[in-house]
Amino acid sequence: MVEEVKLFRTWSSPYALRIVWALKLKGIEYETIFEDISNKSPLLLRYNPVHKKVPVLLHRGKSISESLVILEYIEDTWKQAPLLPESPYEIARAHFWAKFSDSKLMPAIWHVFLTQGKQQEEAIPPAIEILKIIEEELKGKKYFGGQTIGLADIAFGWMANLLYVLEEITGLKLMNTQNFPSLSAWINNFSDVPAIKENWPPHEKLVTKFQAIREKYLAAGATK
Amino acid sequence: MAGASSDLKLLGAGPSPYVNRVQIALNLKAVNYEFLEEKFGSKSELLLKSNPVHKKIPVLIHGDKPICESLIIVQYIDEVWASGPSILPSDPYDRALHRFWAAYIDDKFFTNVKELSTADGEEAKDAAVERIAEGMTLLEDALGKCGKGKPFFGGDNIGYLDIAFGSFLGWLRATEKLAGVTLFNEGKTPGLVAWADAFSSHEAVKDVIPEIDRLVELAKMFKARAQSQSAN
């Protein structure tokens, strides 16, 4: 029973989805425990006392938190369907882009999504600049990792889905196939991978949820 | 196999804890390299060319390949010079612990330290010290879990998390001096107090982290500069 794998997540968390994809790509059996963020279970608080967040992976009686840390743990533990390349330099590049997704792209996109009026207008050009950087990186490649899906693709995976949801909610179009051909192609390639395709949360449910998040932020007058 | 000095270049600046991380890792592996000092307030052509995305130090240039982001560079060094002492542990769970706490230090802990150095007034300062103290308690606990009774997070020798956290020791001590507070409390976090001494005096570290008084002077200079800029 020590090989049991459990994943604490919510149906919509993009961070938790990364772990679902990694486990599915490697063909690892696991049990899902769905959390209600407004009413966190005692188990979640026990297994992630520092951040109290999903996702949390439970394996061999030990808990691992933080999605990128969990992805590395999965890669270190299960050697099939590798998510990282062989050479240290290519590994460093994969890490670099995975980090870029969280440290640069996500904040820029949220900033557009959680604002309105002049603030939103001003948030758009920096977000597009960042998308251009990603477009440049993807030129001539099927995935961030080259020919096969890897860690950086999984880190950016939220973009392949949430970007459209956020565009629908705000009525804004941040990217299109004309100006971002490589990025558009990557979104299609990534979304077509069976492990990914079979695990998208339902679109309408995402629209409803993120619409509510946006309204809550705007009402609170949050500037982030 | 240590490369020739010209094969390995580190773009950086002495006072940067992120640059110090790379220097410590290279020292641990006894690797020769050329240190190219970036001048404060300007970015060299080489830096802009090697790190066009972030335009930040440190950048390690190995042959013609640039590697960016301090902890990514540390792991790269660990993997390339695999015959030297290991920086990351081999057990997957131990590796996860090192990575988790390194992320905590970069995302949360050092933000709290910066807040202390910019805190205005006693109340803000006390709140910042409180947050840092909570972090120190967590890290004391992590030292026990990772080090398992040994002096370092890496056990008998310096590892990834020691480097991630220890690189900030100079600035932590400077902040203590500037703010007039004690962050390393013998009574509350004895393990970390002993660890800080052991780390700072380690062969691979002692010539890397700048003197505290120099960092205090630099901090005062940054603050004065920031204040005069906002006054304009």
Side-chain angles (χ1 to χ4, degrees), chain A:
Chain A
M1 285 312 222
V2 282
E3 286 311 307
E4 248 182 10
V5 179
K6 292 191 182 166
L7 175 63
F8 289 78
R9 69 175 181 108
T10 60
W11 68 268
S12 61
S13 159
Y15 300 104
L17 213 46
R18 292 169 168 173
I19 315 306
V20 171
W21 294 331
L23 292 169
K24 294 277 184 200
L25 284 164
K26 292 199 182 253
I28 300 162
E29 299 264 326
Y30 68 99
E31 184 194 329
T32 299
I33 296 153
F34 283 103
E35 284 287 325
D36 173 3
I37 292 305
S38 62
N39 185 19
K40 292 174 185 176
S41 73
L43 272 183
L44 178 67
L45 299 177
R46 184 176 129 203
Y47 291 132
N48 189 2
V50 176
H51 301 296
K52 306 177 175 61
K53 285 180 174 176
V54 294
V56 176
L57 189 79
L58 209 59
H59 181 232
R60 293 175 179 159
K62 299 193 173 131
S63 62
I64 303 107
S65 314
E66 293 295 282
S67 64
L68 294 181
V69 175
I70 300 172
L71 287 177
E72 299 277 354
Y73 176 82
I74 290 171
E75 181 68 1
D76 284 337
T77 307
W78 290 279
K79 304 293 182 190
Q80 70 272 28
L83 300 171
L84 279 173
E86 300 249 330
S87 86
Y89 178 66
E90 292 303 326
I91 291 172
R93 286 186 68 77
H95 284 147
F96 178 91
W97 289 105
K99 191 173 171 188
F100 185 88
S101 155
D102 287 0
S103 65
K104 289 272 183 256
L105 182 64
M106 242 190 234
I109 300 295
W110 283 130
H111 198 50
V112 172
F113 173 62
L114 294 174
T115 52
Q116 59 187 349
K118 185 156 189 281
Q119 244 188 342
Q120 190 179 60
E121 262 172 51
E122 288 171 354
I124 293 171
I128 293 185
E129 278 316 300
I130 289 172
L131 288 171
K132 282 186 183 161
I133 292 173
I134 297 167
E135 170 72 20
E136 191 58 38
E137 177 58 23
L138 282 170
K139 274 192 164 55
K141 289 191 198 163
K142 191 172 179 194
Y143 302 107
F144 283 94
Q147 281 303 109
T148 49
I149 190 174
L151 188 91
D153 299 280
I154 292 178
F156 274 108
W158 63 274
M159 185 180 37
N161 176 289
L162 267 186
L163 211 55
Y164 293 138
V165 170
L166 302 181
E167 283 180 342
E168 187 177 318
I169 292 168
T170 53
L172 286 172
K173 200 104 182 74
L174 286 177
M175 59 154 276
N176 53 60
T177 35
Q178 224 180 347
N179 296 340
F180 295 94
S182 303
L183 183 50
S184 304
W186 174 82
I187 288 177
N188 290 334
N189 291 332
F190 182 82
S191 306
D192 268 345
V193 173
I196 312 298
K197 194 160 39 183
E198 289 154 17
N199 291 288
W200 282 132
H203 180 83
E204 280 316 307
K205 234 179 139 183
L206 282 175
V207 168
T208 308
K209 180 190 166 116
F210 283 96
Q211 177 85 50
I213 290 177
R214 174 172 157 84
E215 276 160 19
K216 189 170 136 189
Y217 258 82
L218 294 179
T223 51
K224 251 198 133 87

Side-chain angles (χ1 to χ4, degrees), chain B residues 101 104 109 130-140 192:
Chain B
W101 288 110
Y104 173 81
F109 189 77
E130 180 65 41
R131 276 192 296 274
I132 295 169
E134 281 165 11
M136 293 293 277
T137 303
L138 289 173
L139 289 162
E140 175 85 2
L192 287 178

